[in-house]
Amino acid sequence: MKKFISFLLSLAMSGSLFAQMSGYSTSSYSDGTTLGANETLTADGIALGNAVKLRGYVDFILGRAANDDNGTDSNSDTTSVSADVDLLIDLSPVTAEVHLNVSEDNGSDILEQAFGRYSFSQDFHLTFGRQVTVLGYDDDEAPGLYAVTTAYSNGAFAHPGKSYVDGIRLNYNNGMFGFIIGLHDEYGYSSLTGSGNDLDDGIAIDLAASVMFMPGLEARLGFVNDNGDSDDDVQQINGWIGWNPGDLTLAFEFDSFSLSNDTDAWNMMLLANYQFSDFLGATLRYAHMDHEADESDRLTLALLFSITENFGMNLEYSYTDGERNGANFDSNEFYLEALLSY
């Protein structure tokens, strides 16, 4: 496995194989950094009058996993259906967004984001309400991903990914440089600590900066301190660098976590993505997760088919192996996705 991973790293860093699917709405680094920007004004959508735009997607995923947990084999089939509707409101200098999502997993909790923004100038903004967290390379919604799944979705410990939290944030973005500082009720780390925290228990602060060194080359660095109750403190450092010279996209990400129970965790991700044509793109991704004695390596290959500008069919195969709770495990995952965006 180590020789295989070494080969994978060399292949990914060479970057000559894979890139982004044209039907996906992943951000283009060539357009400047998006951290701290007012994306409400520039987002695509269906115009509902002069001040409101509508966008969204319907996502269907069919999955199958074959698992070997310490010599015990098991198979599982999963389906996931979700529908997302976003309203983007422009009453400049005040803008707002409301994001609603209905899926089999979230039950009656359909509100993802609901925030307002006041723009002091073209570059400087104040946002307040329920917002998505900023740390991490993976997007929070399906149309922004480079594969069917996120990088750390089957690892050695529960990686939080992006979350939706209540708070207030100062944002600065001049195109080439972006910066945010925010205060929130929590940062979505209950999956790491085993319990939730809210505004009564503590508060989370996040800082992040992004620099566009040249067209297509962006680097971001961020820090979070989630100061819950005495048993739930978490600190995270996240950094990534992405290069998009055209049809090719390369990315490297690193995370470091410090947990209040005197344990540390870290993970890394390498991604190579290539758009062969308007119809076909592909992604090769490697992710490593390490939490004390538990660790895992995950390899993902995804084929991304743009049937039309708004409809895509995507295939993914992921292989994961490592140790969990002191026992060896491996998993073979297969996914078929149908994604309609508007």
Side-chain angles (χ1 to χ4, degrees):
M1 182 63 187
K2 292 182 178 179
K3 292 182 179 179
F4 179 68
I5 292 174
S6 298
F7 169 75
L8 168 64
L9 296 179
S10 299
L11 182 63
M13 292 305 291
S14 68
S16 60
L17 290 182
F18 302 108
Q20 148 183 343
M21 170 184 176
S22 63
Y24 270 27
S25 60
T26 44
S27 59
S28 172
Y29 306 125
S30 301
D31 294 336
T33 180
T34 59
L35 183 69
N38 186 347
E39 296 184 88
T40 305
L41 299 178
T42 59
D44 294 329
I46 302 170
L48 303 178
N50 295 326
V52 181
K53 288 185 287 187
L54 172 71
R55 69 179 182 189
Y57 63 86
V58 178
D59 187 26
F60 171 76
I61 300 174
L62 177 65
R64 180 172 179 82
N67 305 305
D68 180 353
D69 194 347
N70 200 26
T72 301
D73 295 331
S74 64
N75 297 312
S76 61
D77 297 317
T78 59
T79 59
S80 173
V81 181
S82 63
D84 188 276
V85 175
D86 302 340
L87 292 173
L88 313 178
I89 303 166
D90 179 13
L91 301 172
S92 296
V94 176
T95 53
E97 296 189 19
V98 178
H99 296 223
L100 305 176
N101 181 276
V102 179
S103 70
E104 297 174 317
D105 299 327
N106 63 12
S108 60
D109 185 15
I110 66 173
L111 181 63
E112 283 186 338
Q113 300 189 69
F115 65 88
R117 178 190 295 108
Y118 181 78
S119 297
F120 299 98
S121 67
Q122 180 178 341
D123 300 335
F124 186 46
H125 319 279
L126 174 71
T127 52
F128 50 91
R130 187 167 181 82
Q131 307 170 64
V132 65
T133 56
V134 297
L135 267 65
Y137 185 78
D138 279 331
D139 199 81
D140 64 308
E141 296 186 334
L145 296 177
Y146 288 96
V148 179
T149 64
T150 57
Y152 313 109
S153 60
N154 187 4
F157 73 108
H159 187 277
K162 282 191 167 68
S163 302
Y164 304 105
V165 297
D166 301 332
I168 187 169
R169 179 181 293 153
L170 289 174
N171 307 268
Y172 177 81
N173 181 290
N174 66 2
M176 302 303 293
F177 175 75
F179 176 80
I180 67 96
I181 178 171
L183 292 174
H184 312 282
D185 60 339
E186 49 102 13
Y187 217 75
Y189 289 134
S190 58
S191 59
L192 289 180
T193 62
S195 62
N197 49 20
D198 55 32
L199 191 59
D200 295 331
D201 295 324
I203 199 165
I205 182 172
D206 62 342
L207 302 160
S210 180
V211 178
M212 184 72 68
F213 293 104
M214 57 182 290
L217 181 61
E218 179 182 4
R220 295 194 186 186
L221 182 64
F223 169 78
V224 170
N225 182 76
D226 190 350
N227 193 16
D229 62 35
S230 59
D231 297 324
D232 285 339
D233 293 350
V234 179
Q235 289 81 42
Q236 177 188 2
I237 297 174
N238 171 270
W240 61 259
I241 185 168
W243 184 46
N244 176 217
D247 290 332
L248 175 67
T249 298
L250 300 176
F252 168 76
E253 179 181 38
F254 180 83
D255 274 308
S256 176
F257 297 89
S258 179
L259 311 181
S260 57
N261 56 358
D262 295 326
T263 62
D264 297 318
W266 67 275
N267 57 260
M268 60 158 294
M269 182 272 293
L270 286 167
L271 178 142
N273 181 279
Y274 191 78
Q275 184 66 41
F276 294 101
S277 66
D278 290 341
F279 175 72
L280 175 64
T283 297
L284 180 65
R285 183 180 65 198
Y286 165 74
H288 176 83
M289 300 181 67
D290 196 303
H291 181 205
E292 295 297 309
D294 298 344
E295 61 177 316
S296 69
D297 298 290
R298 186 170 192 246
L299 171 64
T300 296
L301 174 63
L303 299 177
L304 313 171
F305 301 92
S306 295
I307 310 302
T308 70
E309 183 178 356
N310 301 102
F311 178 64
M313 296 287 293
N314 309 308
L315 296 172
E316 177 182 317
Y317 167 71
S318 288
Y319 174 74
T320 306
D321 79 342
E323 293 185 6
R324 183 185 290 128
N325 299 322
N328 295 326
F329 78 95
D330 63 65
S331 177
N332 291 276
E333 303 164 77
F334 301 88
Y335 297 97
L336 171 65
E337 179 182 38
L339 180 62
L340 173 67
S341 59
Y342 56 89

